[in-house]
Amino acid sequence: LWISSQRRNSGTTVSLRTVAIGANGSGTRMGLQANDVSLIGRAWTATLRTMPARRIRVILNPISGAGRGRSYAPVVAGELRRRGHFVDVLETRRRGDARRWASEIAGWDAILAIGGDGTVNEVVNGLPRGAEVPLAVLPLGTGNVLAKELKLGRGPEAVCRLVDEWNVHWMDCGRIESPPIADEARIERFLMMVGTGFDAEILHRHHERRGRMTQFTYFIWGLLTVFDYQAPRIRVEVDGRVVEDKATFVVASNVREYGGPFVFAPHARHDDGILDVMWFRGRFARDVFRILWAGMFRYALEIGDTGYATGRHVALSSPDRAPLQIDGDPHGFCPVALTVDRQCFPVLVPATDA
C-alpha cells in the first residue's frame, strides 16, 4: 500500500512524504521497522525514520557539459540506487526525446534532467499540465539560468542530496502562444524567459549552422552578427497597454538571471505571478555593445533608451523579422502573446535552515 501526503503553505514550499508498507504492515519493503509506522484512528499517519524510496526518471542529454553528462549519469544513478531509490536512465538521441519521455510520467515520483536549460525546457513542455511531479536538475549547459536562479549545486552529490531532502518549491510557469498554425494556436511553456532582438538573432544564426553553443561560441557569433544585424522595430504591450513601440531588444523574464554574466531583469522573482519586461531602443552596433556591457555589470536599467514594466500578460509584435528565443533556444518569430501562471510548477531545491 502506498500512502502519500502533501501540504502547500504560503511560502510555496511543500514537504512530500511517501511510505511503502508491506503486506503485514511492518514496512519491511523499504527496510522500515514496525515501530517506524504508527496508525492513529482511521487516518494513516507515517513517521519516517529512514529516507523514503522514490521512483526517479533520469533524462540525460549526452552532449551536455562537453560530454560530462554521459559520465555523470551512471554515477548519479548508482548513488541514488545505493540510497534505496529506483532509477531509470533515458539518453536523448534527438530533439523531442526529452519532451516525449517527460509526458510518460505516470508512476514516477520525479524527473531528473541532466543537461542545460534547453533540456529543462523540453521536459517542462513534455510534462502533462497539472502534473505535480517535481523536476530536479543537474546543470550542465552553457547558461544554466535556472540553476543560478534556484541556487542549485553542481555535480552528482548535489543532485542526489536534492532527491534525499525532497524540498519542493512551486515556481511560476509562463505560456507563449504563437499565431495559429492550421487553425490551432501553438502554445509552449517556459520557466525562465522569452527574448526577441539581438540575442535571439545570434541563437537563430548559430542554430542554422548547428554545433554546440558555449559562452565562447556565443561571443564569436555575437561579433559576427553585430555588424550586419538589422534591428527590428518591436511593439511591447503589458496587460493590454502599449508601453513601447520602438524597441529593438526585449526580454520578458520570470527569473532575475540571464545567460552568462548578464542580468536584464534585476527585480524579477520566479514565484510572484508576474513577468518582468525590459526593453532597449538602441539600433546601432555601438548600442548593442552598450546594452550588453551594462547587462554584464548589472546596471542595464540605468542607461538611456531602456524601459521596464511588469504584468501577467505580455504581447510582442513587429512589422519586421523579429526572431524569438525561449529559455535560451531559438523559437520562431514575433508576434507572440505571453502569460504567466503563478506557482504552478514544482521543482526540487536545496533545503534551507529557515
Side-chain angles (χ1 to χ4, degrees):
L1 174 65
W2 287 94
I3 304 171
S4 63
S5 63
Q6 177 174 315
R7 178 173 59 84
R8 296 177 64 164
N9 62 26
S10 59
T12 75
T13 298
V14 301
S15 294
L16 304 181
R17 293 291 183 266
T18 306
V19 185
I21 303 177
N24 60 1
S26 66
T28 54
R29 179 177 172 183
M30 285 177 49
L32 301 179
Q33 302 301 315
N35 62 353
D36 287 329
V37 179
S38 60
L39 303 179
I40 302 176
R42 295 181 181 178
W44 293 84
T45 302
T47 303
L48 293 178
R49 296 187 180 175
T50 61
M51 193 63 63
R54 312 285 187 185
R55 292 176 56 84
I56 311 298
R57 166 162 281 184
V58 177
I59 297 179
L60 161 69
N61 179 352
I63 65 172
S64 62
R68 282 178 296 153
R70 182 169 277 159
S71 62
Y72 278 0
V75 176
V76 171
E79 179 60 22
L80 288 175
R81 288 171 183 143
R82 188 187 69 80
R83 300 183 186 196
H85 305 293
F86 181 84
V87 182
D88 181 35
V89 180
L90 299 171
E91 184 176 307
T92 63
R93 303 282 183 184
R94 62 188 64 84
R95 189 173 184 86
D97 282 350
R99 181 187 294 238
R100 175 166 54 86
W101 290 328
S103 70
E104 301 165 353
I105 198 59
W108 297 92
D109 296 315
I111 287 185
L112 167 54
I114 301 180
D117 292 324
T119 303
V120 169
N121 182 267
E122 273 207 45
V123 170
V124 169
N125 280 284
L127 282 168
R129 282 170 171 74
E132 297 192 347
V133 176
L135 171 67
V137 179
L138 174 52
L140 286 177
T142 302
N144 297 315
V145 173
L146 185 64
K148 293 176 184 176
E149 179 72 15
L150 299 179
K151 297 179 172 56
L152 302 181
R154 302 197 181 197
E157 174 57 32
V159 76
C160 290
R161 192 181 311 119
L162 279 183
V163 174
D164 280 348
E165 293 173 344
W166 206 256
N167 190 48
V168 182
H169 184 77
W170 293 81
M171 65 181 295
D172 301 342
C173 186
R175 289 180 283 126
I176 176 170
E177 182 175 350
S178 302
I181 301 175
D183 297 326
E184 291 186 6
R186 179 184 174 190
I187 299 177
E188 298 278 319
R189 292 190 286 179
F190 63 95
L191 287 184
M192 291 156 271
M193 88 288 286
V194 173
T196 182
F198 181 72
D199 66 329
E201 179 70 20
I202 294 174
L203 294 172
H204 276 246
R205 292 191 185 191
H206 181 270
H207 181 72
E208 291 171 359
R209 300 293 182 91
R210 304 296 177 181
R212 191 172 68 90
M213 176 68 84
T214 66
Q215 292 195 20
F216 177 75
T217 55
Y218 182 90
F219 175 76
I220 296 300
W221 276 96
L223 290 179
L224 294 174
T225 301
V226 68
F227 294 107
D228 68 348
Y229 173 62
Q230 299 296 316
R233 177 172 170 172
I234 304 164
R235 176 187 173 102
V236 184
E237 297 180 40
V238 178
D239 288 341
R241 181 173 62 92
V242 177
V243 295
E244 178 59 50
D245 63 359
K246 296 180 181 179
T248 58
F249 169 61
V250 184
V251 177
S253 190
N254 187 39
V255 296
R256 180 178 181 274
E257 298 288 341
Y258 198 70
F262 303 106
V263 172
F264 294 114
H267 308 306
R269 290 185 53 187
H270 60 263
D271 57 3
D272 61 359
I274 60 173
L275 293 170
D276 287 50
V277 186
M278 175 268 182
W279 62 87
F280 180 62
R281 304 180 194 90
R283 303 193 62 81
F284 304 105
R286 65 176 181 272
D287 298 317
V288 172
F289 286 116
R290 188 158 58 97
I291 187 61
L292 292 179
W293 183 269
M296 183 183 303
F297 291 97
R298 311 195 173 199
Y299 65 93
L301 302 185
E302 299 174 22
I303 67 173
D305 295 327
T306 59
Y308 201 88
T310 60
R312 261 203 85 209
H313 306 281
V314 179
L316 305 175
S317 59
S318 175
D320 308 313
R321 176 188 177 278
L324 292 162
Q325 62 92 356
I326 300 179
D327 289 349
D329 276 356
H331 180 90
F333 301 87
C334 289
V336 289
L338 315 177
T339 303
V340 64
D341 297 316
R342 186 174 186 183
Q343 297 175 14
C344 65
F345 193 88
V347 291
L348 293 181
V349 299
T352 63
D353 295 332

